[in-house]
Amino acid sequence: MASRPWSSRARRALLASLVTASVALPVSGAARPAAVPAPAPAALAPLGTAESSVLEARYAAGREEIRAARDMAARHGDRRRAAALTAMARPGRTFLMFDGRDGGRSAEVFGDLSRARRVAVLVPGAGVDLDHYWRLRRDADALLDELGSGSAVIAWLGYRTPATLGPSSLTAGRAGEAAPRLRAFVRELGGAVPAARVSLLCHSYGSVVCARAASGLEVADVVLYGSPGTGAGNAAGLRTRATVRAGLGGDDWIALVPHTVLPLPFVTVGFGADPTAPEFGAEVFDAGDAGHSDYLRPGSVSLRSIAGIVAGTAGARHG
C-alpha cells in the first residue's frame, strides 16, 4: 500500500523537533574550530588572468598564509589544526586564497587552471571547516580523476559553514553571508578563464548558498545534490540563465527532512521545495544509491552523472 503524504501539520511538527534537537544536542569535548587564532591575511589583488606566472604568484601567497596560520595554531597549542595546516602547506598544493580565522576560508585548485576548458566549483555544506577539510579535498580529487585532462576543480570553502548539529544549519543566515562572497569569487574566476565552462556544484546546505548567489552569474550549470531545499519555490526563483540540475541519492537521509518553511519568532526555519520534485522544474540527474556524504565517491553513479554535467556531455530527465 502506498504511504499517505504527510500533512502540513506533521511536516511542521517534525521540523520543529529538528530545531529542538539541534539546540539540545551541542557538540562537546573539543574546542570550537573558530576558537583557534590565525593572523589576518594580506589583501589580494584581483586574479585578472589565469596565466601560469600569475597563478604561481597567487599560490605562493596562499602557502605563506597557511604557514603563518599553522605557526599561530602551534603556539596556541592546537596540534590538530597545526597538523591540518602543515598538510595544506605542502609543495604541490595550490590555493587561490586562504584565511585561517573563524574556522577557515580557502579556495584550493585541483588540476591545471591555466589550461582548463571546464571548471567545477565545489560549494560544501554544514560541518566543513579546516579541521574537516579532508572531506572537501577527497571529493575534489575524485571529481578531477573522473573528469580527466582539460579540467580543474576548485574546492571553495569561502564561508563560515553551519554546524551539522546546530540551529544555523536550519536557517538561511549563513547562506546570506556566503552568497556575496561566492558571487564575487565566481565572477573573478570567470574573468580569469573566460573560455572555460564553469559549473557550480552545491552540496547540502551549499545548495542554499548557491541559490542565493546564482542570479547574474555566468555559469553553465547550478547543480544541487543532497539538498534540503534552496529557499526558492522553483528553479525559476534562482533567477539564473544556467541550467539548474538536482539529484538525490537513494540512501541520503536528507530525504527525511520536511520540505517546508516554519516561521518562528525572529527567524524562519526550513528551505521549502524539494529541488528534485517535478514541480520545482530542475533537470533531475541519476544519483544512484548515494548517501549524504558520498555523491562524489569513486565509481559511483552519482559521480559519473555529476562529471558528465561538468563536462557538458550529460543527458538529464526533466522533473
Side-chain angles (χ1 to χ4, degrees), residues 45-117:
L47 189 59
T49 178
E51 293 179 0
S52 295
S53 59
V54 174
L55 289 174
E56 285 304 320
R58 178 68 74 91
Y59 296 155
R63 280 190 290 272
E64 288 303 310
E65 299 290 1
I66 295 169
R67 289 167 181 154
R70 174 201 61 195
D71 294 345
M72 186 172 285
R75 291 193 298 269
H76 184 68
D78 195 300
R79 295 181 180 179
R80 180 181 183 184
R81 176 65 59 82
L85 294 174
T86 296
M88 294 175 83
R90 286 173 182 160
R93 302 286 294 271
T94 49
F95 288 83
L96 289 171
M97 66 91 170
F98 181 85
D99 183 346
R101 298 173 297 174
D102 195 25
R105 313 282 188 275
S106 64
E108 184 173 11
V109 177
F110 297 76
D112 187 349
L113 185 59
S114 67
R115 298 184 178 183
R117 300 186 302 274

Side-chain angles (χ1 to χ4, degrees), residues 10 26 37 56 99 106 125 140 170 191 194 200 248 251 260 276 285 299 312:
E56 285 304 320
D99 183 346
S106 64
L170 300 174
L200 281 181
L248 181 66
D251 288 336
T260 190
T276 64
F285 65 88

Side-chain angles (χ1 to χ4, degrees), residues 25-291:
L25 295 173
V27 178
S28 61
R32 293 173 59 85
V36 183
L44 293 172
L47 189 59
T49 178
E51 293 179 0
S52 295
S53 59
V54 174
L55 289 174
E56 285 304 320
R58 178 68 74 91
Y59 296 155
R63 280 190 290 272
E64 288 303 310
E65 299 290 1
I66 295 169
R67 289 167 181 154
R70 174 201 61 195
D71 294 345
M72 186 172 285
R75 291 193 298 269
H76 184 68
D78 195 300
R79 295 181 180 179
R80 180 181 183 184
R81 176 65 59 82
L85 294 174
T86 296
M88 294 175 83
R90 286 173 182 160
R93 302 286 294 271
T94 49
F95 288 83
L96 289 171
M97 66 91 170
F98 181 85
D99 183 346
R101 298 173 297 174
D102 195 25
R105 313 282 188 275
S106 64
E108 184 173 11
V109 177
F110 297 76
D112 187 349
L113 185 59
S114 67
R115 298 184 178 183
R117 300 186 302 274
R118 47 193 175 262
V119 179
V121 179
L122 300 187
V123 181
V128 179
D129 52 39
L130 292 182
D131 294 335
H132 303 92
Y133 181 77
W134 61 269
R135 301 174 187 169
L136 191 55
R137 176 174 172 80
R138 171 200 64 192
D139 287 351
D141 270 330
L143 180 58
L144 183 65
D145 286 345
E146 186 73 19
L147 287 168
S149 61
S151 305
V153 177
I154 300 176
W156 185 82
L157 179 58
Y159 76 111
R160 183 176 53 140
T161 62
T164 303
L165 291 176
S168 58
S169 66
L170 300 174
T171 68
R174 297 289 175 88
E177 297 171 2
R181 298 186 179 108
L182 178 59
R183 191 179 296 116
F185 177 80
V186 173
R187 285 175 174 162
E188 181 180 1
L189 177 66
V193 289
R197 186 181 197 279
V198 178
S199 299
L200 281 181
L201 306 187
C202 317
H203 177 239
S204 192
Y205 188 88
S207 63
V208 186
V209 176
C210 288
R212 289 190 163 226
S215 179
L217 288 183
E218 294 295 329
V219 296
D221 302 284
V222 176
V223 185
L224 315 170
Y225 53 104
S227 175
T230 64
N234 51 43
L238 272 61
R239 302 187 305 278
T240 177
R241 291 182 293 179
T243 301
V244 179
R245 303 179 188 266
L248 181 66
D251 288 336
D252 191 341
W253 58 261
I254 205 74
L256 300 176
V257 175
H259 286 284
T260 190
V261 174
L262 178 62
L264 296 174
F266 309 111
V267 70
T268 297
V269 175
F271 304 110
D274 177 1
T276 64
E279 58 270 21
F280 190 82
E283 295 289 330
V284 178
F285 65 88
D286 187 358
D289 62 353

